[in-house]
Amino acid sequence: MRLEDLTSPRLLEYLESRGISASIGRRYCKEAHYTVRDREYYGVAFMNILGGMEIRSRFFKGCYGVKAPTVIRLDKAERQESCCVFEGFMDFLADKVLEERGAKDLIPDVPCDYIIMNSTSIIQRAIPFIGVYTLAYCYLDNDFAGKQALDTLDLLMPGRIFEMSTRFSPYNDLNDYLMQQPRT
C-alpha cells in the first residue's frame, strides 16, 4: 500500500462525477495505490482514526485496514460544542461542497466538528466520539440503516440529536442530493 497526494486525473474525474471539486478532494483525501493478486489498483483514500481507510473509485468501494470512524476537528486546538455526523465520506465531501456554495438550509449556523462513521454497521465505535458533543447534526441516509442508526443515537443521546436527512429527502443521501443540484 502506498499513499500519495491525490493527483490522478481519473480519480479527480471520478470525484467530479460525484459532484466533488478537486480542491475539496485534495484537501481531505489521498491517493492509494495497492496490489491485489499481483494486479495494481488505485483509488481515492479517506483515512480513519485507526490508520485504516475507505477506498473508492469508479470500479471499487472498500476498506483497507481496520474499519473505524473518522474525526475531523474544525479547530485542532479545541473541540466544538456541536458536530456533524455523516454515514460515509462522500456525504462529508458533499457537505463541504454545499458549504462552499452557501447552502444555508443544509449547513448548521454554528461551528462544528465532523464525525464520519464510514458505515452504520460500526455505529457502536462512533458513539463515544459523538457522545462528547452537546448537539449532533446527523446527515444519515434516508434508508432503513440510516433511520436505525438515527434511532440508536437518539435513544442514547435524547435531545442532542438534530436530524438533517429530511432536508435532502427524497434523495437517499447528501451526495445524491448534491449530484442533482445545478453546478455553480
Side-chain angles (χ1 to χ4, degrees):
M1 171 67 66
R2 186 176 85 245
L3 285 178
E4 303 174 350
D5 289 339
L6 181 55
T7 59
S8 164
R10 284 196 173 135
L11 294 178
L12 293 170
E13 285 171 15
Y14 165 68
L15 287 176
E16 185 65 33
S17 77
R18 303 289 306 262
I20 310 302
S21 67
S23 62
I24 287 175
R26 285 187 190 108
R27 188 176 320 144
Y28 295 103
C29 301
K30 292 287 188 188
E31 185 172 310
H33 293 260
Y34 55 99
T35 305
V36 177
R37 294 186 199 100
D38 296 325
R39 292 197 62 192
E40 292 196 23
Y41 299 93
Y42 61 102
V44 176
F46 187 75
M47 305 303 293
N48 67 41
I49 60 169
L50 296 179
M53 65 192 83
E54 299 299 310
I55 300 175
R56 301 287 184 278
S57 72
R58 248 183 239 290
F59 310 106
F60 180 75
K61 178 179 181 179
C63 176
Y64 177 84
V66 179
K67 194 153 198 69
T70 302
V71 177
I72 298 173
R73 289 236 173 115
L74 185 63
D75 178 350
K76 301 248 186 266
E78 67 178 284
R79 187 180 71 228
Q80 301 300 312
E81 292 283 321
S82 300
C83 69
C84 292
V85 179
F86 299 92
E87 197 165 317
F89 81 91
M90 284 294 177
D91 295 324
F92 164 71
L93 297 175
D95 177 78
K96 302 312 308 168
V97 171
L98 291 164
E99 184 180 291
E100 274 188 359
R101 292 182 184 176
K104 297 192 184 308
D105 56 328
L106 287 167
I107 308 299
D109 60 355
V110 296
C112 294
D113 290 336
Y114 302 93
I115 299 172
I116 301 90
M117 290 192 289
N118 292 316
S119 175
T120 56
S121 68
I122 62 165
I123 189 171
Q124 295 301 326
R125 293 182 203 166
I127 287 170
F129 299 99
I130 300 167
V132 300
Y133 292 92
T134 304
L135 187 62
Y137 295 91
C138 293
Y139 296 82
L140 305 182
D141 290 4
N142 284 311
D143 61 12
F144 180 76
K147 299 290 184 205
Q148 201 171 31
L150 185 68
D151 289 346
T152 299
L153 291 172
D154 202 34
L155 182 68
L156 296 172
M157 294 169 252
R160 296 169 44 203
I161 302 301
F162 194 85
E163 193 266 341
M164 299 294 283
S165 305
T166 55
R167 295 181 182 210
F168 53 84
S169 180
Y171 301 100
N172 182 57
D173 62 33
L174 194 58
N175 188 244
D176 288 343
Y177 170 84
L178 173 65
M179 289 190 305
Q180 298 306 314
Q181 304 308 301
R183 306 256 171 142
T184 56

